[in-house]
Amino acid sequence: MSNLFPPLPEPPRRALLEADLPKGEPWGWLLAGVLLGAETLARKLLTQGLSPGLAQIVQEELLALRQRLHVLRTSDRLSSFGLREPSPAELAALQVLEHGDADDLLELYRRHGYGSFARHSAYLFEGRLEVVINPDPVDFSALVGFERQITALRTNVERFLRGQPALPTLLYGARGCGKSTAVKALRSTYASEGLRLVEVLYRGLGHLPHLLETLRPLPQKFLLYLDDLAFSAEDPGFHQLKALLEGAVYQRPPNVLVVATSNRRNLINESWADRPEPGDNDPAAWDTLQNKLALADRFGLVLTFPPFDQQSFLRTVSYLLGRELDDTTRQAALRFAQEGRGFSGRTARQFADWYR
């Protein structure tokens, strides 16, 4: 096979079994996947462009792949191996494979990226990126009573997708009120427009510069999602996140936006002992307080999700069950919430799942 593109397992039929292929003639889709999987080549082209020497090598390698495709199609005619529709990236890669040149390959990576970024829209990051194969498909219709917050959140993300200035966003409010659902609904709504959701777990905070450099050359837009934030002032994660938002030596790429959720407005675990007395003239005490507040201040857009009341809880239950509530269902829902769970979107979903 090629030196620039990943080799196929031998015998090639084994590769068909291991690959997730669209429906249709399988060999073309398999080798189109080879083009999309050439991560080292794709990153070089995206970061450095196409030099004359590299263009010559790419042309030769594309010709070799095209010849391999002809041999496979001629010697081993097979029916469809897949059942799903091809993605736009796969269609574009097949076109390059069959008819394209080095410039077309560069354009493929500029439009669709490479590897998992061309096909998947959700990731976990804990020092390395892991694809989420089956992300939560929740959408905004599951959020009842937060129209103002959702409108502001979507407007900000739509600006980000258009390449306009967008603000790092903090969703703040009581547990179970829908903050995480709102963030996940952004992926469901805008994945087809190139939005990708990367949930950064706590241990991933120490590897943010590496993550940013991975994402920087890609054509997609990435939301770095930090869920349920709460730090102590001495926590290294506190300083790493503050540097990401503002003030780091490294530059945050324009295709990256931070969205966080928290039950705490200031993101810091505090006690009354941490607060200076009103007449305290000790500069160090006030500097400590200001340092704690500085992290939340770096989120340019703060959206508050207030606690559910009884009415919003019942409206959400009605939506999740897909019908108006009769008196029996209404009373059952209220008992379910009042048995210690409280009124929240999470409780409404739990009740709907239990009651169906």
Side-chain angles (χ1 to χ4, degrees):
M1 179 61 70
S2 152
N3 294 320
L4 295 184
F5 302 115
L8 291 180
E10 296 293 341
R13 283 192 172 195
R14 195 177 82 199
L16 295 177
L17 297 177
E18 296 173 351
D20 175 22
L21 301 176
K23 60 185 178 182
E25 190 278 315
W27 295 119
W29 294 127
L30 185 67
L31 293 186
V34 168
L35 292 187
L36 290 173
E39 297 191 8
T40 300
L41 173 61
R43 287 192 64 82
K44 185 173 183 64
L45 291 176
L46 289 173
T47 55
Q48 300 181 23
L50 188 62
S51 65
L54 181 57
Q56 180 180 350
I57 295 176
V58 170
Q59 294 282 102
E60 293 171 356
E61 300 277 353
L62 281 174
L63 178 60
L65 274 179
R66 205 165 288 148
Q67 291 170 341
R68 181 71 185 276
L69 175 61
H70 175 73
V71 169
L72 288 170
R73 282 175 167 174
T74 303
S75 62
D76 197 358
R77 298 179 182 274
L78 294 172
S79 299
S80 175
F81 258 64
L83 299 174
R84 63 177 178 84
E85 296 296 327
S87 69
E90 289 169 321
L91 288 169
L94 183 62
Q95 182 70 18
V96 173
L97 173 66
E98 293 180 330
H99 308 292
D101 57 18
D103 289 317
D104 297 319
L105 185 65
L106 173 57
E107 185 62 21
L108 170 71
Y109 297 142
R110 282 177 173 169
R111 285 183 176 271
H112 300 283
Y114 59 83
S116 67
F117 303 111
R119 282 199 48 207
H120 297 283
S121 61
Y123 304 83
L124 294 175
F125 180 74
E126 197 174 8
R128 58 176 293 180
L129 274 172
E130 299 286 347
V131 173
V132 178
I133 301 296
N134 296 302
D136 191 340
V138 66
D139 59 37
F140 289 114
S141 63
L143 295 166
V144 178
F146 297 114
E147 289 77 14
R148 179 184 59 81
Q149 294 89 335
I150 297 305
T151 297
L153 179 65
R154 294 184 64 170
T155 298
N156 191 54
V157 168
E158 287 167 5
R159 288 177 57 86
F160 175 54
L161 288 170
R162 294 194 298 266
Q164 298 173 336
L167 299 173
T169 302
L170 173 64
L171 284 64
Y172 154 70
R175 59 186 176 84
C177 63
K179 305 181 300 296
S180 298
T181 297
V183 176
K184 291 185 287 187
L186 290 170
R187 184 210 62 83
S188 302
T189 304
Y190 297 109
S192 62
E193 298 180 36
L195 188 70
R196 302 291 184 262
L197 185 66
V198 181
E199 182 172 356
V200 179
L201 305 179
Y202 177 79
R203 288 198 296 179
L205 290 173
H207 304 276
L208 284 173
H210 170 70
L211 173 63
L212 297 181
E213 290 311 304
T214 298
L215 304 181
R216 186 183 300 276
L218 288 159
Q220 291 86 1
K221 303 286 188 178
F222 294 89
L223 289 184
L224 298 193
Y225 169 38
L226 300 103
D227 190 31
D228 200 19
L229 289 184
F231 299 114
S232 69
E234 295 74 29
D235 193 323
F238 165 75
H239 300 286
Q240 290 154 353
L241 178 56
K242 194 165 74 168
L244 171 66
L245 293 169
E246 183 181 334
V249 172
Y250 56 84
Q251 182 185 42
R252 180 161 48 89
N255 65 335
V256 169
L257 182 67
V258 178
V259 177
T261 68
S262 179
N263 298 336
R264 300 175 182 270
R265 171 62 178 83
N266 292 325
L267 306 179
I268 302 297
N269 296 317
E270 293 185 278
S271 66
W272 284 108
D274 295 327
R275 296 172 179 263
E277 295 296 330
D280 194 338
N281 293 319
D282 180 6
W286 289 101
D287 287 347
T288 299
L289 177 61
Q290 291 303 317
N291 185 48
K292 290 181 176 183
L293 297 177
L295 178 57
D297 289 344
R298 282 169 165 78
F299 287 94
L301 179 62
V302 178
L303 301 173
T304 301
F305 284 65
F308 269 47
D309 57 18
Q310 178 176 305
Q311 181 181 4
S312 56
F313 169 73
L314 292 173
R315 287 174 57 198
T316 303
V317 170
S318 175
Y319 167 78
L320 292 171
L321 291 178
R323 59 180 172 83
E324 293 294 323
L325 302 184
D326 56 41
D327 189 62
T328 300
T329 306
R330 182 176 182 277
Q331 293 303 319
L334 291 175
R335 284 196 303 272
F336 188 88
Q338 291 165 350
E339 287 171 352
R341 301 173 181 86
F343 297 129
S344 72
R346 182 176 297 137
T347 302
R349 182 172 294 278
Q350 290 169 345
F351 172 76
D353 290 342
W354 170 80
Y355 196 76
R356 286 191 178 97

